[in-house]
Amino acid sequence: MIRDVQVYSGETRQALPLQELGTILIVEDDPRMQRVLQRMFSAEQYDVATAGDGQSALDLFHSRKPLAVVLDLILPHISGRELCQKFKAASPETPVVVVSAISEVVDKVLLLELGADDYVTKPFSPRELMARVQAAIRRRRRPTTSSTYRFADCEVDFKKMTVTRGGQVVTLTSHEFKLLKFFTDNAERVLSREELLNEVWGYNCYPTTRTVDNQMLKLRQKLEPDPANPRYLLTIYGAGYKFVP
């Protein structure tokens, strides 16, 4: 794509094309904020698609297959929470960064458990939002080894997002898959709650670590033979958690 034409002494030369990095889908119903975010990401050589309501956002998500999504919570027709679920159901690997004026902890926990990769509260620093979106994209692009992992009577296919335990299908949420993947990539290593929040949820200033404990409880209930006495997803008191395959 030719981005610029420069004129030198009456001679027109086409500038070298600039390489676009991929599409960022901005879902925001405030036209002014749309323009601010569009300029910000365009300046970093991203292609930008914008939607002002939930249905338009879904249509663009399926047609443009964005690299990442910046999602406002308060939208006409389809709520940001419902959109987040739909995006992650259609493409679990696509990062979704929520931008909203809502700052209550319960809303942040809910969004992250629905699969959002990060959360930025308005008013926000454009530099912070850009850093969080780019960090989420980097996490998505990390090279992976085999997509299949086995421990005890569990078999996990991270690429297909399927789990069986003793031959029976087990249903995990998007975030439960991400958490389990981080544990399997760091087997035998003690992981603090803060590290898990930063690396799995992508949020390094989270006001509470209880969301990690809640997710661990759910993973144990689904994967451990005896959730009350875990053998694989262990609590290291005063330090965090450790996965022992």
Side-chain angles (χ1 to χ4, degrees):
M1 178 185 297
I2 300 301
R3 290 289 219 149
D4 193 14
V5 176
Q6 298 177 1
V7 179
Y8 299 90
S9 303
E11 177 186 1
T12 302
R13 300 179 185 176
Q14 290 181 333
L16 292 175
L18 298 177
Q19 183 66 45
E20 286 182 344
L21 301 178
T23 298
I24 304 296
L25 173 58
I26 296 170
V27 187
E28 167 64 66
D29 65 338
D30 180 348
R32 185 188 64 81
M33 183 59 68
Q34 267 193 17
R35 291 192 294 271
V36 169
L37 295 177
Q38 184 167 18
R39 285 196 299 269
M40 183 176 77
F41 284 102
S42 295
E44 295 295 324
Q45 307 310 317
Y46 291 101
D47 186 23
V48 179
T50 59
D53 64 83
Q55 188 56 56
S56 299
L58 274 179
D59 294 341
L60 283 170
F61 186 84
H62 292 299
S63 64
R64 300 291 294 272
K65 302 188 185 310
L67 187 64
V69 179
V70 176
L71 173 64
D72 190 20
L73 281 189
I74 310 301
L75 296 167
H77 307 314
I78 304 176
S79 72
R81 293 175 179 82
E82 187 178 350
L83 270 181
C84 184
Q85 283 183 300
K86 290 178 180 294
F87 290 156
K88 285 299 185 177
S91 180
E93 71 279 4
T94 301
V96 176
V97 177
V98 171
V99 177
S100 178
I102 298 174
S103 59
E104 284 80 2
V105 170
V106 65
D107 289 290
K108 294 182 180 180
V109 172
L110 175 62
L111 261 295
L112 295 173
E113 289 184 348
L114 289 178
D117 295 81
D118 209 342
Y119 193 113
V120 180
T121 303
K122 296 178 180 178
F124 58 86
S125 157
R127 180 178 296 182
E128 178 190 8
L129 177 60
M130 179 65 70
R132 290 186 182 278
V133 171
Q134 291 178 333
I137 292 169
R138 285 196 299 273
R139 288 194 295 272
R140 168 191 176 179
R141 288 174 169 170
R142 282 177 183 164
T144 58
T145 53
S146 172
S147 66
T148 303
Y149 193 94
R150 296 177 180 86
F151 67 97
D153 61 347
C154 297
E155 181 173 325
V156 187
D157 189 322
F158 289 104
K159 186 174 182 179
K160 296 180 180 178
M161 295 190 75
T162 58
V163 181
T164 58
R165 179 181 159 208
Q168 300 296 311
V169 174
V170 177
T171 301
L172 298 187
T173 67
S174 172
H175 248 281
E176 287 167 351
F177 270 109
K178 290 166 68 174
L179 181 58
L180 183 59
K181 183 67 168 70
F182 193 71
F183 273 117
T184 59
D185 287 345
N186 294 275
E188 304 282 358
R189 188 164 77 84
V190 177
L191 303 170
S192 70
R193 291 170 175 82
E194 290 74 17
E195 181 178 2
L196 289 169
L197 283 169
N198 191 30
E199 295 297 329
V200 179
W201 279 261
Y203 203 96
N204 58 8
C205 297
Y206 206 73
T208 176
T209 56
R210 287 297 299 170
T211 190
V212 175
D213 299 333
N214 293 337
Q215 290 283 289
M216 289 298 297
L217 176 63
K218 292 175 183 177
L219 270 185
R220 285 170 172 165
Q221 290 171 341
K222 295 178 179 182
L223 302 178
E224 288 278 2
D226 181 3
N229 298 286
R231 296 169 52 189
Y232 308 104
L233 296 162
L234 307 181
T235 298
I236 308 300
Y237 292 100
Y241 294 99
K242 180 167 71 171
F243 174 64
V244 180

